[in-house]
Amino acid sequence: MANETLTITDNRTGKTYEIPVTHGTIRAMDLRQIKGSEGDFGLMSYDPALENTASCKSKITYIDGDKGILLYRGYPIEQLAEKSDYLEVAYLLLYGELPTESQYKKWVHDITYHTIIHEKVKKFMDGYRHDAHPVGMLISTVGALSTFYPEAKEIFNSEIREIQINRLISKMPTLAAFSYRHTVGLPYVYPDNDLSYAGNFLNMMFKMTELKYKPNPVIERAIDILFILHADHEQNCSTSAMRSVGSSLPDPYSATAAAIAALYGPLHGGANEEVLHMLKEIGSKDKIPEYIKKVKAGEFRLMGFGHRVYKSYDPRAKIIKQIAHEVFEVIGKNPLLDIALELERIALEDEYFVKRRLYPNVDFYSGLIYQSMGLPTSMFTVLFAIARTSGWLSQWKEMLLDEERKIVRPRQVYLGSDRRDYVPLEERG
Ligand code: CMC
């Protein structure tokens, strides 16, 4: 192996520095020794959207954006989607290995038996307006859980920490479903411990007067696979928020609320909702070329397309496209599917998208499936949040136990005024 260092010559001073290269990176702090003059603060790197900055070392999720590869703890997403289930994947993400049979049974039991929420949570959910967005309700109710479990602050007590992880994963579908029931004015449905994680979520969403809700197995499995596909995605915006907020050491409910807020935006987990609005706006296949023209003119973006890391087809989108066909066979085709397929076909042949390597991402087809299942668009990001909770918590735990952990506190390049004296109001021109 050649010498794993980088030699930097500072042309301002003519001095040369040798900086170690580890895992294909240099430490930004090693740049600090490079000073333009005596008393200079030292060199920093400038990376406003952290496009080329590794903010942590992680053993959880691996992505090869050029090849379209996604691995959770080394296991390909395609195998997990085919053979595993969401709770097993959540265990894998959190504990690093697939569970043994007894570990799996205990884990599923523990998650299933913590799904009920405190009755007082229902009371303050009642206070939201009838048309409140479910994500807003989820952010605040998840944050509020910290007031119900004040011991959650003891994040370095592993036993207490594990209980909160368990509570968050088990209660997230309950809070999500309750926020939906609130917006449609339906009574809240309590969890059913006989059902699977996905089946119980559907129960809490859709149960009406029947004594026992029986989820459609195709829809139940499709939801479970969608949860697997959304479970983690290394250092995306919401996970970075989880780690960043978590680095000041609050309880995990507060950090998770911050992560959901980061997910909400249309450039991240809010994109699936936007895709549906876009497909409706396009309305018919013949309007696609005109729509693409506007995208290319920079009027707006093609939602559900492009990714910071994937510069080839998002492997999750491939799996979702496949599930969409299976779901539509059972519940009938979503009329917007034909527009989506045609939009994808045209975009993938268009030089603008080819040159920029813009492909469908996870959000392009997921909304179509959710809509066909009877889920309102406002719930799409909520579903993403349920699934991503296991990823956020795995990354949060990894961050807490990292021996290099410190509060996240970036630097800035200050371009404002030099020091100046205060001018009294009457003297200002
Ligand atoms: N439609 C049209 N042009 C696009 C798109 C798009 N969806 N995405 C990127 N571009 C263009 C962009 O205008 C730029 O062109 P130019 O070089 O001429 O200025 C080039 O491609 C590079 O874009 P960028 O903004 O530098 O890329 P980024 O890595 O900062 O952004 C992204 C990634 C996902 C925010 C962006 O692709 C986007 O806005 N996509 C639409 C929203 C979306 O689908 N988000 C879901 C992401 S996947 C799931 C998740 O993370 O939640």
Side-chain angles (χ1 to χ4, degrees):
M1 178 65 78
N3 196 6
E4 291 284 295
T5 61
L6 179 75
T7 301
I8 299 176
T9 302
D10 186 347
N11 294 324
R12 297 171 302 173
T13 58
K15 282 192 190 163
T16 294
Y17 304 82
E18 194 168 327
I19 290 181
V21 175
T22 316
H23 303 302
T25 60
I26 58 159
R27 282 191 172 259
M29 281 303 281
D30 282 345
L31 299 176
R32 194 67 78 72
Q33 61 186 301
I34 304 174
K35 295 178 192 276
S37 57
E38 199 56 40
D40 180 0
F41 180 76
L43 202 64
M44 295 191 290
S45 61
Y46 175 63
D47 190 5
L50 305 181
E51 284 181 281
N52 197 36
T53 295
S55 60
C56 63
K57 292 178 190 155
S58 182
K59 293 183 175 170
I60 301 172
T61 292
Y62 173 79
I63 303 174
D64 183 327
D66 284 329
K67 296 193 184 124
I69 292 172
L70 170 60
L71 312 175
Y72 292 165
R73 300 282 189 184
Y75 295 102
I77 193 66
E78 293 80 4
Q79 288 182 24
L80 293 170
E82 190 193 334
K83 297 177 182 160
S84 187
D85 61 60
Y86 176 70
L87 285 187
E88 187 179 60
V89 166
Y91 185 101
L92 171 70
L93 290 170
L94 280 159
Y95 304 107
E97 295 296 336
L98 287 167
T100 61
E101 197 175 343
S102 61
Q103 285 169 332
Y104 175 75
K105 279 192 182 143
K106 182 177 182 317
W107 171 243
V108 172
H109 176 275
D110 289 351
I111 296 295
T112 308
Y113 283 81
H114 282 95
T115 43
I116 283 191
I117 51 172
H118 196 290
E119 283 294 292
K120 287 272 191 287
V121 177
K122 265 172 45 186
K123 288 228 166 87
F124 66 73
M125 281 188 110
D126 283 339
Y128 290 108
R129 275 175 59 128
H130 70 281
D131 56 354
H133 197 292
V135 178
M137 285 192 259
L138 192 66
I139 292 169
S140 46
T141 47
V142 168
L145 286 187
S146 69
T147 66
F148 290 85
Y149 307 111
E151 76 279 11
K153 284 191 189 77
E154 292 180 46
I155 52 179
F156 292 110
N157 177 324
S158 61
E159 204 180 315
I160 292 178
R161 191 173 59 231
E162 292 306 314
I163 293 172
Q164 315 318 316
I165 289 176
N166 185 317
R167 281 184 177 140
L168 268 160
I169 295 176
S170 50
K171 293 182 202 311
M172 197 62 88
T174 316
L175 294 174
F178 279 23
S179 59
Y180 165 69
R181 301 285 290 202
H182 172 84
T183 58
V184 283
L186 285 168
Y188 304 124
V189 175
Y190 283 78
D192 180 343
N193 290 352
D194 291 339
L195 296 174
S196 71
Y197 191 77
N200 177 46
F201 173 64
L202 291 168
N203 161 62
M204 293 186 290
M205 287 287 293
F206 298 124
K207 184 168 184 282
M208 296 304 279
T209 52
E210 66 271 40
L211 288 178
K212 185 92 181 158
Y213 178 83
K214 285 199 190 90
N216 177 316
V218 175
I219 295 185
E220 183 184 0
R221 178 65 186 145
I223 288 277
D224 199 61
I225 295 174
L226 285 159
F227 283 173
I228 293 174
L229 300 180
H230 286 89
D232 196 50
H233 213 231
E234 51 120 303
Q235 307 314 313
N236 55 84
C237 179
S238 57
T239 301
S240 302
M242 182 84 189
R243 280 181 176 262
S244 183
V245 172
S247 78
S248 76
L249 310 183
D251 64 84
Y253 301 102
S254 305
T256 305
I260 303 171
L263 186 72
Y264 195 7
L267 296 188
H268 190 11
N272 48 17
E273 192 174 335
E274 297 299 323
V275 171
L276 255 279
H277 294 312
M278 173 185 80
L279 294 175
K280 274 191 203 147
E281 193 190 326
I282 295 173
S284 59
K285 286 203 270 182
D286 57 308
K287 303 266 170 51
I288 295 172
E290 192 190 321
Y291 194 86
I292 296 258
K293 219 166 153 185
K294 288 185 182 163
V295 170
K296 285 160 65 175
E299 282 186 40
F300 39 74
R301 289 191 166 196
L302 194 58
M303 298 314 283
F305 256 74
H307 199 275
R308 172 64 57 81
V309 182
Y310 292 121
K311 298 301 167 199
S312 65
Y313 213 103
D314 181 336
R316 302 167 301 171
K318 257 187 218 157
I319 300 170
I320 294 180
K321 203 170 160 184
Q322 173 62 28
I323 312 171
H325 288 295
E326 285 163 23
V327 170
F328 296 157
E329 257 175 45
V330 178
I331 51 176
K333 196 168 87 178
N334 188 321
L336 295 175
L337 178 69
D338 285 339
I339 301 178
L341 287 168
E342 182 65 359
L343 186 58
E344 178 190 332
R345 191 191 66 75
I346 294 180
L348 291 184
E349 283 174 2
D350 192 293
E351 202 228 326
Y352 174 95
F353 295 90
V354 174
K355 202 173 114 202
R356 291 170 179 78
R357 301 174 74 191
L358 301 170
Y359 292 85
N361 59 48
V362 70
D363 291 315
F364 193 66
Y365 287 105
S366 59
L368 286 174
I369 305 184
Y370 291 145
Q371 195 198 37
S372 299
M373 290 174 178
L375 290 153
T377 40
S378 59
M379 281 297 286
F380 295 176
T381 312
V382 170
L383 277 120
F384 198 152
I386 296 174
R388 188 55 62 87
T389 300
S390 57
W392 288 330
L393 291 166
S394 309
Q395 302 267 354
W396 170 74
K397 197 163 107 168
E398 189 177 62
M399 178 274 305
L400 283 184
L401 303 181
D402 188 334
E403 57 189 21
E404 289 191 277
R405 172 185 50 76
K406 274 186 169 211
I407 187 166
V408 172
R409 206 305 185 184
R411 293 279 174 175
Q412 65 169 5
V413 177
Y414 178 70
L415 299 175
S417 299
D418 285 341
R419 185 199 176 283
R420 50 187 173 160
D421 289 324
Y422 179 80
V423 181
L425 189 58
E426 58 280 9
E427 288 172 28
R428 286 175 221 160

